[in-house]
Amino acid sequence: MSQLPNCPKCGSEYTYEDGNLYICPECANEWSQDASEQSGDTLVVKDANGTILQDGDDVTVIKDLKVKGSSSGIKVGTKIKGIRLVEGNDGHNIDCKVTGVGAIKLKQEFVKKS
Protein backbone atom coordinates (compact mmCIF):
# COMPACT_ATOMS: atom_id res chain seq x y z
CA MET A 1 0.00 0.00 0.00
CA SER A 2 1.41 3.39 -1.01
CA GLN A 3 1.67 6.34 1.36
CA LEU A 4 -0.64 9.23 0.38
CA PRO A 5 0.65 12.80 0.88
CA ASN A 6 -0.76 15.08 3.57
CA CYS A 7 -3.05 17.88 2.46
CA PRO A 8 -0.97 20.92 1.36
CA LYS A 9 -3.66 23.31 2.59
CA CYS A 10 -4.43 22.07 6.12
CA GLY A 11 -1.85 19.31 6.67
CA SER A 12 -4.45 16.58 7.25
CA GLU A 13 -3.20 13.00 6.99
CA TYR A 14 -6.64 11.64 5.97
CA THR A 15 -6.36 12.30 2.22
CA TYR A 16 -7.74 9.85 -0.31
CA GLU A 17 -7.52 9.26 -4.06
CA ASP A 18 -10.34 9.84 -6.53
CA GLY A 19 -9.21 9.13 -10.06
CA ASN A 20 -6.17 11.33 -10.66
CA LEU A 21 -6.94 13.68 -7.75
CA TYR A 22 -6.11 13.68 -4.07
CA ILE A 23 -8.94 14.94 -1.84
CA CYS A 24 -8.86 16.14 1.76
CA PRO A 25 -12.08 15.33 3.67
CA GLU A 26 -11.35 17.93 6.36
CA CYS A 27 -10.97 21.11 4.27
CA ALA A 28 -12.35 19.83 0.90
CA ASN A 29 -9.09 20.71 -0.88
CA GLU A 30 -8.49 18.90 -4.18
CA TRP A 31 -5.17 18.70 -6.01
CA SER A 32 -3.75 16.61 -8.81
CA GLN A 33 -1.29 13.82 -8.24
CA ASP A 34 1.08 15.45 -10.74
CA ALA A 35 1.08 18.71 -8.77
CA SER A 36 1.83 16.95 -5.49
CA GLU A 37 4.79 15.15 -7.05
CA GLN A 38 6.25 18.42 -8.36
CA SER A 39 6.03 20.46 -5.17
CA GLY A 40 4.19 20.09 -1.89
CA ASP A 41 4.09 23.78 -0.96
CA THR A 42 2.67 25.38 -4.10
CA LEU A 43 -0.28 27.71 -3.68
CA VAL A 44 -3.16 26.78 -5.98
CA VAL A 45 -5.77 29.51 -6.37
CA LYS A 46 -8.83 28.94 -8.57
CA ASP A 47 -11.32 31.55 -9.75
CA ALA A 48 -15.11 31.24 -9.51
CA ASN A 49 -15.17 29.02 -12.62
CA GLY A 50 -12.43 26.69 -11.37
CA THR A 51 -9.69 28.07 -13.62
CA ILE A 52 -6.27 28.11 -11.97
CA LEU A 53 -4.93 31.63 -11.48
CA GLN A 54 -1.26 32.65 -11.63
CA ASP A 55 0.70 35.76 -10.71
CA GLY A 56 0.24 38.49 -13.31
CA ASP A 57 -3.14 37.28 -14.59
CA ASP A 58 -5.94 39.71 -15.38
CA VAL A 59 -9.29 39.08 -13.67
CA THR A 60 -12.82 40.48 -13.70
CA VAL A 61 -14.99 40.98 -10.60
CA ILE A 62 -18.24 38.94 -10.77
CA LYS A 63 -20.10 40.47 -7.81
CA ASP A 64 -20.54 43.94 -6.32
CA LEU A 65 -18.13 44.16 -3.39
CA LYS A 66 -18.28 46.52 -0.44
CA VAL A 67 -14.98 48.00 0.71
CA LYS A 68 -14.46 48.49 4.43
CA GLY A 69 -13.86 52.13 5.36
CA SER A 70 -15.07 53.43 2.02
CA SER A 71 -18.42 54.73 0.82
CA SER A 72 -17.77 53.33 -2.65
CA GLY A 73 -17.28 49.72 -3.61
CA ILE A 74 -16.09 47.58 -6.48
CA LYS A 75 -18.73 47.07 -9.18
CA VAL A 76 -19.45 43.94 -11.23
CA GLY A 77 -17.31 43.83 -14.37
CA THR A 78 -14.38 45.78 -12.94
CA LYS A 79 -11.21 44.56 -14.65
CA ILE A 80 -8.11 44.10 -12.52
CA LYS A 81 -4.73 43.71 -14.18
CA GLY A 82 -1.60 42.02 -12.85
CA ILE A 83 -2.81 40.21 -9.73
CA ARG A 84 -0.42 38.71 -7.20
CA LEU A 85 -1.24 35.48 -5.36
CA VAL A 86 -0.56 35.36 -1.62
CA GLU A 87 -1.21 32.85 1.16
CA GLY A 88 -4.20 34.25 3.04
CA ASN A 89 -5.45 32.62 6.24
CA ASP A 90 -8.80 34.40 5.88
CA GLY A 91 -9.37 33.33 2.26
CA HIS A 92 -8.11 36.59 0.70
CA ASN A 93 -5.59 35.06 -1.70
CA ILE A 94 -5.40 37.83 -4.33
CA ASP A 95 -3.37 41.02 -3.85
CA CYS A 96 -4.15 43.72 -6.42
CA LYS A 97 -4.65 47.40 -7.14
CA VAL A 98 -8.15 48.53 -8.11
CA THR A 99 -8.60 51.83 -9.92
CA GLY A 100 -10.39 54.30 -7.62
CA VAL A 101 -9.93 52.10 -4.54
CA GLY A 102 -6.20 51.35 -4.29
CA ALA A 103 -4.37 48.29 -3.00
CA ILE A 104 -6.75 45.60 -1.78
CA LYS A 105 -6.97 41.86 -1.10
CA LEU A 106 -9.77 39.84 -2.72
CA LYS A 107 -11.21 36.39 -2.26
CA GLN A 108 -10.82 34.07 -5.23
CA GLU A 109 -14.52 33.20 -5.44
CA PHE A 110 -15.41 36.79 -6.47
CA VAL A 111 -13.26 36.94 -9.61
CA LYS A 112 -12.96 35.16 -12.94
CA LYS A 113 -9.96 35.03 -15.24
CA SER A 114 -10.18 37.49 -18.17
Side-chain angles (χ1 to χ4, degrees):
M1 187 164 161
S2 66
Q3 178 67 23
L4 298 176
N6 290 349
C7 175
K9 189 172 183 181
C10 72
S12 172
E13 60 185 26
Y14 301 111
T15 58
Y16 62 92
E17 288 182 87
D18 185 19
N20 64 346
L21 293 176
Y22 290 125
I23 300 175
C24 175
E26 292 185 5
C27 69
N29 184 29
E30 296 180 0
W31 69 101
S32 70
Q33 293 176 2
D34 296 334
S36 67
E37 291 171 3
Q38 293 172 359
S39 174
D41 290 339
T42 59
L43 175 65
V44 177
V45 177
K46 295 182 180 180
D47 69 0
N49 296 330
T51 305
I52 295 176
L53 298 174
Q54 297 178 346
D55 283 338
D57 281 347
D58 297 340
V59 295
T60 304
V61 177
I62 62 168
K63 179 181 176 184
D64 283 338
L65 301 173
K66 294 181 182 179
V67 178
K68 272 189 175 179
S70 174
S71 60
S72 65
I74 302 173
K75 300 288 184 190
V76 172
T78 302
K79 294 186 189 272
I80 301 170
K81 295 183 178 185
I83 64 169
R84 191 171 62 106
L85 303 180
V86 295
E87 184 69 41
N89 294 337
D90 55 355
H92 294 83
N93 291 330
I94 300 173
D95 236 357
C96 58
K97 289 184 181 177
V98 179
T99 307
V101 178
I104 193 167
K105 287 188 176 183
L106 295 174
K107 289 189 175 183
Q108 61 203 34
E109 60 259 22
F110 298 128
V111 298
K112 68 177 183 177
K113 190 170 182 177
S114 298

